[in-house]
Amino acid sequence: MSFTAANQIMDWRARDDRAVGGNRRAWEGGRDGGRERGKVGFRGGRGGRYRRGRGRGDGRRAYADGSAPQAKPIGFRALQELSVKEPSEIAITLASSYALKALLDETEMRPDLVQLLCQVLCKAFLSKSDRQTLQHLADSIKQSGFLRSILPDYIMGMGSEVNVTFQEQYPKHLDSIISLLSEVLSIFPASSIRVVSMIVALFRPVISSLRAVGVDILKQTEENLERIQGMVDQLQEKAREGTLKSDKDSIKSEEDAPPGEADFRLLSIYPTPEEFHQVERPFLRPNLTSHRYGSALIYLDTHFRLMREDFVRPLREGIQQLLEGEQDRNNEDVPLRKRRFDDIQVYFDTQVVVPTCNTSGLAYKVHFDSEPLQFVRWQNSKRLIYGSLVCLSCDNFDTCLFATVSDRDPKDLRKGFVHLSFSAESRQILAGLDAHQSFLMVETTAYFEAYRYVLEGLQEIEVEDLPFMRYIVECSLDVHPPAYLNRGDTYNLSAIAAPEFKSTIKRFHALDPEAWPPKEQLGLDESQMKALQMALTKELAIIQGPPGTGKTYTGLKIAQALLTNQEVWIGDDGPSPMLVVCYTNHALDQFLEGIHKFLPNGIVRVGGRSNSEVLKPFNLRELKRTQKFQLSIYIRRATGENYDALRAEEFIIQGLSAQLECSLRGVLKQQYLKRFISERHWESLTLDSDAFGSYGEKTQIIEWLGLGSTAFWTGGPYLQNDEEMEDDVHNERIKVAEEADLIRADRYVEDLEPCYDREDDRRRKEMDRRDMADRMLAVNLEMRGQKQTMKRHITKELDKTSTMTEDEEETIQNVWSLNQADRWRLYRSWLGRFHTELRMKSHEAEQSYQDASDRLAEIRVREDVSILKRAKVIGMTTTGAARCRKLLQEVRPCLVIVEEAAEVLEAHTLTTLSKACQHLILIGDHQQLRPSATVYDLARNFNLEVSMFERLIKMDFPYVRLNHQHRMRPDIARLLVPHIYPELENHPSVMDYDNIKGLQSNMFFVEHNQYEEEIKDGKSHQNQHEALYVVALCRYLLLQEYKPSQITILTTYTGQLYCLRDLMPAKEFDGVKVHVVDKYQGEENDIVLLSLVRSNKEGKVGFLNIPNRVCVALSRAKIGLYCIGNMNMLGKVRLWSNILQTLREKNQVGPALTLCCQNHPERPIKASSAAHFKQAPEGGCTLPCEFRLNCGHVCTRVCHPFDQEHTQYKCNKKCPKDFCKLGHPCPLLCYQECPSNCLKLVEKIVPQCQHKQMVPCYQDPEHFVCQKPCVEKLVCGHQCASVCGKSCDSTTCMVTVTLKLKCGHETEGPCHYRISAVEMECRKRCRKILKCGHPCPGSCQRCHQGRFHVGCSYRCGRLLICSHKCREPCTRECPPCPMRCMNRCIHSACKKRCGQPCAPCIEPCAWKCPHLRCSKLCHEPCDRPPCTQPCTKNLPCGHLCIGLCGDPCPDKCRVCHHEEVGEIFFGTEDDDGACFIQLEDCGHFFESTAMDKYMENQQDTQEQVAIKLKECPRCRTPIRRNLRYGVHVNRSLAEIEKVKEKINGVQTDIKTQTEILKQQWINNKEKYKVQTKFLRMTPSLSVYSQMMDELIYKLMTSHLTAKDLLIIENQMAFLHKLNQLTSSREQMSITDSNIFKRVEEYQTWLMDRNQKFSEQQTSDLQSELQRLSFLTELNVRCKMAEDRGTEVNVLAEVTEIRNVLESVQPFTQQDEELVKQALKDLDEKLPKTGLGITDEERQMIVSAMSLPKGHWYKCPNNHVYAIGECGGAMERGSCPECNATVGGANHALVSGNRVASEMDGAQHAAWSEANNVLNFDLRNLDD
C-alpha cells in the first residue's frame, strides 16, 4: 500500500471514531442496562416502551428509546450453516436477526469470520426478489463498524500477509468484498459513497502487493474492480456537481436506447413534473399488426411506452388543461371549481388528515372539498375507486405527490374523506411539508397498480429471456411442438373420453396425427377435436370460440388431458404447476370449478374475491390460514419478528391517529387544547364564563363557539341517522353490483394481504376511537340527539382552512369579545397546533411501519412460493398475475392457459410468462370484447387494444375456430351470421326450445325516438323511456311465471344500469340480473332484455358502433331476446343496418311488442311504451277473474295467468267476526288470524287514583300507568314533575336553589344536589397571589379549595432565539421552543421541535452559477462571493428577469409590475440596471446592492446585541432559505445551535441521569413484584406501578431536556414517598378510607400533564404530602389503640387532630406546628409503637434481647413475647398477663397469635418463606 493511501484511510478512520465514539460508548452502556431490563416482563410498544416477542427464540426485546436490544453476535458455525442455504433464506434470516447487527458492531473479528461473513452476505444479495429485505440488510451494513473499521483492517492486512495458503485464498475473498460493496453502493449511493470510496481506494495497492509475491488475480476480479471503480467515479462526480441528493438517485446504465429517446428501462414509471409542463408528445411506436418487429428490444420498448402513455396522457393533458384554465383570467364565466375537464377529476382544498395502517402498509386519510360534488352518487360513481391514481400538488404541479386509492366508503366520500396510499418518493416529500398544507388533487381512473407491475415487468425482462420470441416478435408461422414433447412421449386420453369409450382408449404418440382416437370417442365435434390436437402438440396454440361454441368446455378438456398426463411435461427440475389466467373473476371461478371436478386436490386460487364456495378451501389466503403447508422455520421466525415490529409501530400510529380523528368528529374539550392556548386567552376563556353554572368545563368552549347548551353535547348511543335512512331506501331496491365494487373486486388481490383476520381489530379500534371521542369531545357529531342544522354548521366550520395568525392572537385580550367568525378562526388555530404536534410525533413511526410492512410483505411472498410450488394448478386473474409477477418468476410454471385471452392487453399476457414457460395456450374470441385502453388515440392509431391473441391471428398465425354453437335458438343466432361471423352452425339441442309465454314473438326489437339524457357525473347516458319499458316488460314476464333467475336485463351504459335499479323494487324484482354488456361476456340466460340507450339529435351511437360489443349484447340469450332502441338512428351504422334487414324478414322489429293473454288469446295488446303494459296489470288482460274463494269471497283481481287455483291468493276483505265480549269487530283482514286480545281503547277508571283514562279493552285498569301529571309534593317541598302512575323521586328534582358547599361558598344549582352524595362544583374565583407574584387564574373547585392551585397562566411572551415567542406560562427561564422547527434548506427540512438541536445538512452546497460555485457543505458558510451579473433568463410573461445570476428569479417583472418594482424602500430601486433579490421565506424583494449592504450592516450591529436570525427589512420574517445570504444564515444558525445545547442541557449528563432513573424504576419494580407475591395486591401498589410505568415511558422519549428530566425525577420521588405512606394500609382500620381518596387526589395533582414543579406547585405538593404523612401516622396509632381497646381514652385528642388533617382548607405552616405538638402530646397516651411503652424503652428492650427480625410475637390480647433460636414456635405456653395460649408447634403459631411488627418492624415470622425476602432491603440483595 502506498504511504498516501494508508494515511488517507487512517485519517478517515480517526475522524470516524471521533464521530461515533460517543454512540459506541452509549451502545456499550445500553447493553449493560439491557441485561437488567431483560428481567422485566413489561409489555409495550414504541416510544420508550419495551417490545416483547411471542415466546420465539431467546425472547429478545427491542427498546424504542434508541438503544439496541441485547443479542449475542451470530457465530461462525451459524454462518457456516447459513452459507449452504438458498439466497432468499439467508437474506430473510439475517435481516430479521439482531444477532447480525451485534456481529457487525463488534470492534474485533477473526479473519476467517470476516471471510465467511462477506461470503454469506454476498450470497444473500443474490436473492433479487426480496428487495425490501435486502435494502434493510444493506442499511445495517453501511452503518456498521464492520464496514468502517473491520473490513478496511482486513483488506490492509492482505498486503502484509506472508502465509502462502492465505495468500492464495485472497483473490476469491477480494471478489466477495467487491461484490458486497457493489450491492451496498447500488442500494444506497448517496449515503454510502464516502465509506465505500475509501475502501475501494485500498484495492489497487493490495492487489499490487499480492501480485508482487506471485499471487494470480482473477480476471473477473479485475473486471468487477473496474466496474465498482466506475460507479464510485460517477457518484463522486455527481456529488461534486450537487446532483447526488439522495439514495433514490440511480446509477446510469450503459445500454443502448431507441433513437432520440432514453432507454425505456431507465424511464420513470410515474409521470414527472417536467412532462406536465412540456407541449411535445413523447416518442411512441405503434403495436405492429401486419409485420414482424425489428428486434425484441424494440418490441419491449414499444409496449412499455404505449402502456405508460395510456395512463400518463389523460393525467398530463388534464393537468395542462387545468393550468391553462388557471392562467386564463379572462374566462370568468365558469369558475374553476365548476369546470369540467375531459380527462381528469379535480378536487380542491385537499388536506392529508391522519395516517392509517392497513394490510399493505401505510395509508393516509385525506379530506377534500365535497361541496361542489353534491350531485355525485358515490355508490356507483367511478370517482376515487380502489386503485385509481391521484396526483396532489401545492405549487402548480412543479412538485407532485402520487398516490393510489387504498380504500373508499361512499358514506365517507360524501363527507369528503378517502384513503390514499402514497408512493415512497411522495411520502418523503409529504414529510417535508406543513401538516396543514392544502393541495389540489387530480384523479385519473386508470388502475395504476396493474400498469405499474406490468411496466416494471417489461423493464426487467431481458431480451434473451423473452419466451416465444420466435412467434411474438419474429412472427414465424412454423409452430414447433412444446420443448418437453418428443417422439417418445405418449398420451392417454381416456379421462376425457365419452363414458362408453373410456376403457378402450389407449396411449398414443401425440405427434403422430394418425394415432389419435376419433373425435366421436372423445365426445367432441370436428372443430373441438382440431383445437385439442393443436393445444397438445403446438407450443403456442390459439383457439377462437364464438358465443356458445364451448370455449370453456374445450379448454377444460385440454386442461384435463394435460393434467392426467402430467408425466409428459414434468421437467428435470421436478413438478411444475399449470397456470390458468382469466380476465375476470367469474371466468376464473368457472374454469377452476370445472378443473375441480376431475382434480379434487392441488388447486390454488390466487387473486380477487371469489364467489365460489367450491373453491373457498383452495384460496391461497385460506390455505395459509389453515396451515396445510408447513413453512420453513426461518420464514416463521422472520414473520413473527417483523410482525411484532409492525404492530408496535401500529400501536403508536393508531393512538395518535385516533386523537386526530376525534378532533375532526366534533369540538374538542378545552383541556386538550390548553397547551396550545396562550395563558391570557385560557384565563379569559375559563374565568369569564360564570353564567354557565354547573354544566362543567366543557360547556365553556361550547358556549364560546356559540353552540348553545347541553342539548348539543349530551348524546346517546352512536347513530348515523342520515346514512341509516339512506341505506334503508337502498335496501328496498333490487341489488345491483355497484360499479365501484365491481372494479374493486377485479383490482383487489386479497390473497396477497396478510392472512390473519383483522375484522376484530377494526371493531376494537373503532370502539377505542368512540371511547376516546367520549373523553376528548365536548360536541360529538356522531352522537344521537344532535340537531342537523347544528351538525352542518360545525362541520362547515371545521372544514374551513382560515386561521388566526400569531400577530392577530397577540392583539386579543378577551376571547369572549370576538365575533363568532373570529372565534372559530382562533379555535382552528389552536386545533392546528394540536394537529401539528401529533403529526410530528407520528412521523418517525410511520416510516418504521412502512419499512416493516414492506419486509413482511416480502417474507409472505416466501410463504406463497412454498405453497404454489406444491400446487398442480394455479389460477389467477390478469390483474392478479400482474401483481404476482415476481411470484410467478420464482414458481416458474412451464404450461400456461390464458382464457379470455382476446380481452387481455399484450403486455399483460407477456409479463405473465416466465422464462421457464414452454407451452402457451390462448383461448378467446377477438370478435367479442377486446382489451380496454384508456386513451382512444392509442387504441385507434397505435393498436394498443389489439391483444396478442388478435395480433397473431391477423398475422395469419395458425389457429382453430370452434364452429358449433350450443346456446341460442336459430332466430337469435341469425343476428350473428353472417354479419359478425362468416359461419356458425347450430347444435341440434337449440332447435327444441319452447316459445316465450305471453308474447307473440320469441325475439323482437322495439323501435322508438325518445331522446337519451346525459349523466352529470361522468360520460355515461340514460334513457328513461327505455328503462320504464324494460322494467314493465320484465314485470310482465315474471307474471307469466318465469323465475327471476331466468331473466337478465342488459344495457350498454352504466348510467342506464342505475336508472333501471331505481325503478326495480327488491320485493318485486329480487333475483333478476341487471348488468352492463361488458360485464356479461361469458354469461347466458333464458331471456335477455336489452336496452341500447343511445338516441340523440346528433346521431351519435357511441359503443354501439363497435362490432365486438354488439356481438356480446346479441349473443347472451338462449330462448328469448327483446331489445329496445332508436332503430332509425342505429340503421345508419352498416352493421346495424344489416341486422335490422334480417329482423324485418320475419317481422321481428317494429314500434310495438305484441302481448298475448294466456287465458284470453283473442285479446292481444300492442305495447310501444311502458304505459301500455297497464292493459295487462296482472300479466293477462283487463277482464275480471271472478274465481270464488274458500272463504266465500270472490277474487278481486283482474285476469292473471299465474296461480290459477288461487292457492297463494290472500283475501284482503275485512274479517266479519266479532271476537270480544263487548262485540268489538276484528280489526284484521279476512286472511289474517284473529288476535287473542282486543286492543280497542275504552274509557276506564284507574282504581289507585280514580282518574279516567283510555285503556285497551283487554287490560285491567289496576295495571295501567296513569298518565295525568302528578300533584304530589316531593320531600324537598317542590312539585313532582312525573306522571300520576309513577312513584315520586326527590333525587331528580331540577328546581334551582341556593346550595351551601363544603368549602363554605354558596352557589345556585338543582335541588337534588342537597341529598346527593356528589357535591356540585364550586366556581368561585380563587384570586390568591401565587408565589410568582401573579393572581391565581383558577376557581375554588379547580384549585381544590386552595390546597393545589392551577398553574399560573401569565404569558411570558419573550422572543426566543428561533424568532418564535415563548408560549410557556410564567417561567423564569424560557424552555426550549415547542413549535415545529422552521429551518430548512434546498435539500431538506428539519422535522424536530424548534428547541431541539438540528442535524446539519451535509449535502453539497447548491449555490452555483456559470460564474461562481461554492465547494462547501450546505451547513457551512459559503466560500464564494455573491454573483453580481444580471440574470439572462426570461420570465413566463416573456420579459427579462430582474434578478441576479445564480439566484431564484423574482416573480415580478419590471414591465408588468412597474409600480411594485419601482416602489422606493432603500432608495436605490430606480437606479439604472438595478437588479432585485426575492426572499423565499416571505416573498418580498429588494434592490440587490442595498440588500447586500443591509445584511452586512445587520451582521456588524447584531453580533454585539443578540443571537438571532437575520430578518426581512419589511416584515421582520427571519431569513432561513436564501442561498445568497447563506454565509450570514449559517453563521447565525451555528450560534443558535450552541444556545440550544445550553438550554437543553448536556446530553451525556441527561443520558446518564436517565439510565440512573431507569435503574431505580427497575429496582422498585422488582421490589413491588415480590411484595405482590407475598402480600395481597393493594390498589395503591397497582396505581403506583402504573404511574411509574407512565413515567418510564416519558424517559424513553427520543429527546429530553434537563427541565423535562427534572420534572420526571421529582414525580418519581414524590410517588415513591407516597407509596411508602400507602404501604401502611394493612396497619389502618377499614374506616380510615378517607385517606386513600386523598391519596388518589394527590396522585392526580402529581401526574397532571401541566405539572411543571413551579415554586407554588412544589409548595402545595409538599404541604399536602406532610398532611398525608401526619394522617397516616394518626390512623396507624388509632388502629393500635383499637386493637388494645384504649381508643376511648384518646378520642377527644384524636378528633381535634383529625379535624385539622381532614379539613378541605390548605394545610398551613401553623396547622403543621399545631399537629406536630398535638401528636407529641399524644405520645404518652397513644405511643407510636402501640406497646404501652415509649419508643426509647422499646429500642432498649430490642437491643438487650439481640434477636434478629421476626422473633417478636403477641398473644390474641396483644401482649408481646419473644421466641429465641430459629424464631419458629416449637411448644405452647400461657401468657403471663392473660393466660391466653401462646407459641405453637412445628414452627407454626397457634390461632390468634401473630408477629409483633411494632417491636422490630418485621412483617413476617423469622421462620417463614416470606421472611426470606420481605424482612430485608431488596436493593441490597444479589441477583
Side-chain angles (χ1 to χ4, degrees), residues 1338-1353:
S1339 63
C1340 178
Q1341 182 78 17
R1342 292 173 59 204
C1343 291
H1344 305 278
Q1345 296 79 42
R1347 289 177 292 134
F1348 187 79
H1349 293 277
V1350 298
C1352 180
S1353 60

Side-chain angles (χ1 to χ4, degrees), residues 367-368 370 411-417 720 723 782 799:
H367 181 260
F368 57 89
S370 59
K411 296 176 185 176
D412 287 342
L413 287 168
R414 281 197 292 273
K415 302 173 186 175
F417 290 103
Q720 302 288 346
E723 289 82 349
E782 296 185 351
D799 286 345

Side-chain angles (χ1 to χ4, degrees), residues 1772-1786:
R1772 298 188 179 190
S1774 298
C1775 175
E1777 295 190 40
C1778 64
N1779 291 323
T1781 302
V1782 296
N1786 299 321

Side-chain angles (χ1 to χ4, degrees), residues 1186-1287:
E1186 299 180 343
F1187 187 91
R1188 183 177 296 168
L1189 305 174
N1190 292 333
C1191 62
H1193 294 129
V1194 65
C1195 174
T1196 58
R1197 282 178 171 169
V1198 295
C1199 173
H1200 52 93
F1202 59 91
D1203 191 21
Q1204 295 285 345
E1205 297 300 320
H1206 291 74
T1207 56
Q1208 305 298 320
Y1209 183 80
K1210 294 179 180 179
C1211 182
N1212 287 306
K1213 293 186 178 180
K1214 285 187 177 182
C1215 178
K1217 302 175 184 176
D1218 295 335
F1219 75 111
C1220 81
K1221 296 179 180 179
L1222 298 179
H1224 295 138
C1226 175
L1228 302 182
L1229 299 178
C1230 182
Y1231 78 93
Q1232 295 174 321
E1233 185 178 352
C1234 296
S1236 57
N1237 294 320
C1238 180
L1239 298 176
K1240 186 173 182 63
L1241 295 178
V1242 296
E1243 187 177 73
K1244 297 183 181 182
I1245 297 176
V1246 180
Q1248 292 90 339
C1249 58
Q1250 296 300 306
H1251 290 140
K1252 293 182 179 180
Q1253 294 280 284
M1254 297 301 292
V1255 182
C1257 177
Y1258 79 94
Q1259 188 174 0
D1260 188 339
E1262 187 174 349
H1263 303 298
F1264 183 78
V1265 177
C1266 180
Q1267 298 299 306
K1268 287 207 170 188
C1270 181
V1271 296
E1272 298 293 331
K1273 297 283 186 180
L1274 299 176
V1275 176
C1276 60
H1278 297 127
Q1279 181 74 40
C1280 177
S1282 186
V1283 295
C1284 177
K1286 292 185 179 179
S1287 58

Side-chain angles (χ1 to χ4, degrees), residues 1701-1771:
L1701 293 178
E1702 293 186 348
S1703 168
V1704 296
Q1705 298 302 320
F1707 192 63
T1708 64
Q1709 185 69 31
Q1710 293 80 4
D1711 292 336
E1712 183 178 348
E1713 295 298 330
L1714 176 65
V1715 172
K1716 274 185 181 179
Q1717 185 59 44
L1719 288 174
K1720 188 175 181 179
D1721 296 341
L1722 201 62
D1723 281 349
E1724 292 185 6
K1725 293 184 179 181
L1726 192 60
K1728 294 180 181 180
T1729 60
L1731 300 170
I1733 58 177
T1734 66
D1735 195 53
E1736 289 78 9
E1737 291 173 331
R1738 178 192 65 78
Q1739 292 179 5
M1740 290 174 61
I1741 295 171
V1742 171
S1743 176
M1745 295 293 291
S1746 298
L1747 292 174
K1749 281 189 176 183
H1751 284 248
W1752 294 92
Y1753 302 90
K1754 52 188 176 183
C1755 74
N1757 295 317
N1758 296 312
H1759 300 130
V1760 178
Y1761 64 94
I1763 299 177
E1765 298 180 353
C1766 68
M1770 295 300 295
E1771 59 183 56

